[in-house]
Amino acid sequence: MTTMITVQDKADRLTTVVENVRAIGPTLRERALANERAGRHSDETIADLDAAGAFNIASPAEYGGDELSVRQQLEVITEVAKWDGSCGWTTWVAASTNWIPAGMGPVVVKEVYADKWVGPRVAGSSHFPASKGRAKRVDGGWIISGGPWTFGSDALWAPYTNLGCILEEDGQKYLIGVQVPRDQLRFLDDWKVAGMKATGSVSLMLTEDELFVPEHRGIDFRDVTGRKLDSGLAGPLWKVPTLGWAFSLMSGMAVGIAEGALERFLDRSEGRPIRGTTYKNQLEAPLTHLMLAEVHSKIQAAKLIARANAEETDRLGALAAAGTPANPDYMQKFSARVLIETAYAAKWCAEAIELLQRNSGSTAIMESEPIQRAWRDARVITLHGALNLEALAENYGRLMAGMQPHNFAGITTLDRFSPVAKQAALSDNHVH
């Protein structure tokens, strides 16, 4: 196993992967319409992204992964999304869910990463209290049942999917993360959506009514989010705050889609007249210049947020790896900040694309036009379940005002970062 990757190795690998993605970018864009109509990426698209190195950027060094920093991963996600939003989403999920198997202990880590595989390594589905999955303890493991598990991004191509299951025990409910092999899952044909159509984020069912899962593949999800188990992985990436990792990359995905739409607008607008005016070249019109400046500012603001949050995520991971983690108050506020700033970054990028779409004429509604696809894909990001902007704004505002955020359940819960004294004052009558 390779365990040592130098800073220069990572920099060189980042350059190579970004160049590889840029080289296949036109092909990704050319395939996008057919993949949308199919409701999933083609096998060729998955293979090309894999060969480019896009699915290896966040895999452990101990198993031959590139283990790039979060800031470096951001560059890759942005470049992929620039060419096709659905490819950007799939690559984002592939990178940002690696903390789940890493939080489940070394046996799961080995199962996920030891074998050669083409495509994403892991997927996750229904890690929230509304999960329809159920788990019960038995000798040697778990029996899981129920479903469907919804929004299974990357599950079509990953060897394992982590399913959220509710365990009722001693009068309480707990969320259990259960790692399930691909051949024990059934994929529903229900991904009929407005955007991100090729991500194939279908719902999942088990191949049988009840499934036995070995004990090591089922973990109390609080232990996963709290990093209670030693993963056996040495790098600082495995100590970074998970919300910072996932959501700074999500911001980068929105930025990439917007940058791709802007490049497409500039390409198609040269020599194009503006109806209702005497302008024969859209790019010479002052109204276009004003619009482009606004588009730039929205994208740039989102880009700076994504970079700052990725860099801070890496810094916090390095502190934790050195045995000097940031205090819980700071971690709680940072996590809340990443969420609200990601929601705003996604909003601004979607608004930028809407400006480009509105100034692209009626031909921009054609299925073959990348701008309309970017318009739909960017809006899907703003509708992600974790990006309820108003709720996130209230929670961050409460922290700014010296109050605790809402004590809600789910994968983005913030109370796990609060000091013990504060946690004791919170209600425990919810699913963690």
Side-chain angles (χ1 to χ4, degrees):
M1 292 190 297
T2 301
T3 58
M4 187 67 177
I5 300 181
T6 67
V7 171
Q8 188 59 52
D9 289 337
K10 290 186 179 183
D12 291 344
R13 187 57 184 155
L14 171 63
T15 298
T16 298
V17 175
V18 170
E19 289 177 350
N20 289 346
V21 170
R22 196 167 290 143
I24 65 171
T27 301
L28 299 179
R29 181 173 289 172
E30 183 180 332
R31 291 178 183 151
L33 177 55
N35 288 345
E36 275 207 327
R37 288 173 173 171
R40 57 175 290 167
H41 301 300
S42 65
D43 292 342
E44 292 79 11
T45 292
I46 293 296
D48 285 348
L49 286 168
D50 188 89
F55 295 137
N56 205 41
I57 58 175
S59 293
E62 287 85 348
Y63 291 92
D66 293 328
E67 203 174 301
L68 301 185
S69 69
V70 175
R71 177 67 178 84
Q72 291 170 324
Q73 293 174 40
L74 176 67
E75 297 298 319
V76 177
I77 303 302
T78 301
E79 185 63 34
V80 175
K82 185 182 297 182
W83 297 100
D84 176 34
S86 286
C87 286
W89 184 283
T90 298
T91 308
W92 163 65
V93 172
S96 63
T97 54
N98 282 280
W99 62 271
I100 297 178
M104 298 185 72
V107 178
V108 168
V109 168
K110 184 176 181 180
E111 288 179 340
V112 171
Y113 299 105
D115 295 334
K116 290 185 178 180
W117 186 263
V118 174
R121 288 283 180 168
V122 70
S125 184
S126 297
H127 292 120
F128 37 77
S131 173
K132 296 180 180 178
R134 294 294 179 266
K136 62 181 180 181
R137 297 183 194 269
V138 296
D139 289 342
W142 311 83
I143 294 292
I144 66 170
S145 60
W149 287 266
T150 55
F151 299 105
S153 296
D154 283 18
L156 287 174
W157 303 287
Y160 290 92
T161 296
N162 196 278
L163 304 178
C165 296
I166 303 299
L167 169 69
E168 295 192 41
E169 196 172 69
D170 299 328
Q172 294 186 322
K173 293 182 179 181
Y174 304 95
L175 181 64
I176 307 296
V178 182
Q179 200 85 329
V180 179
R182 188 174 185 275
D183 61 7
Q184 294 179 329
L185 295 171
R186 182 162 55 88
F187 305 102
L188 306 185
D189 183 20
D190 63 350
W191 189 241
K192 314 298 181 183
V193 288
M196 295 294 184
K197 290 186 173 185
T199 64
S201 301
V202 297
S203 298
L204 315 171
M205 292 293 290
L206 304 174
T207 53
E208 48 194 287
D209 292 339
E210 292 187 336
L211 178 67
F212 173 77
V213 177
E215 186 172 8
H216 70 274
R217 289 186 186 160
I219 305 293
D220 186 327
F221 214 70
R222 293 169 297 180
D223 292 344
V224 180
T225 57
R227 301 275 176 71
K228 297 291 180 64
L229 300 180
D230 181 7
S231 66
L233 304 175
L237 180 63
W238 313 109
K239 299 292 186 181
V240 302
T242 55
L243 296 184
W245 186 355
F247 289 97
S248 58
L249 295 191
M250 181 184 261
S251 297
M253 175 172 50
V255 168
I257 295 172
E259 288 183 336
L262 175 56
E263 289 181 5
R264 173 60 182 162
F265 176 87
L266 293 172
D267 287 343
R268 76 191 301 272
S269 297
E270 179 67 41
R272 181 178 174 274
I274 301 178
R275 294 189 182 278
T277 75
T278 57
Y279 294 116
K280 304 301 182 186
N281 183 350
Q282 185 173 18
L283 294 184
E284 295 178 356
L287 60 91
T288 301
H289 305 156
L290 297 174
M291 183 272 293
L292 288 174
E294 183 175 354
V295 166
H296 161 80
S297 298
K298 288 179 182 292
I299 297 174
Q300 184 70 1
K303 182 185 295 187
L304 292 174
I305 278 177
R307 288 178 175 175
N309 285 334
E311 289 168 0
E312 181 64 357
T313 298
D314 285 327
R315 186 186 77 86
L316 292 170
L319 285 176
T324 56
N327 69 62
D329 276 318
Y330 183 81
M331 290 299 299
Q332 184 184 47
K333 198 165 186 177
F334 172 69
S335 297
R337 192 190 88 196
V338 167
L339 290 169
I340 184 58
E341 290 180 353
T342 298
Y344 271 109
K347 175 177 182 287
W348 295 333
C349 288
E351 290 173 350
I353 296 169
E354 284 166 6
L355 285 170
L356 296 169
Q357 169 82 343
R358 188 154 51 83
N359 286 275
S360 292
S362 56
T363 57
I365 68 171
M366 304 297 289
E367 277 191 326
S368 57
E369 174 51 56
I371 287 178
Q372 60 79 28
R373 183 165 48 254
W375 174 48
R376 291 183 289 104
D377 289 347
R379 267 300 165 201
V380 168
I381 298 176
T382 69
L383 296 174
H384 188 278
L387 295 190
N388 183 338
L389 190 148
E390 289 74 20
L392 296 176
E394 182 184 349
N395 278 318
Y396 189 65
R398 286 166 71 104
L399 285 168
M400 292 179 69
M403 298 173 60
Q404 280 293 292
H406 285 285
N407 184 21
F408 59 93
I411 201 168
T412 58
T413 183
L414 298 170
D415 67 326
R416 68 177 183 266
F417 299 108
S418 62
V420 174
K422 291 181 179 178
Q423 285 189 343
L426 299 173
S427 170
D428 279 329
N429 296 322
H430 69 280
V431 178
H432 287 74

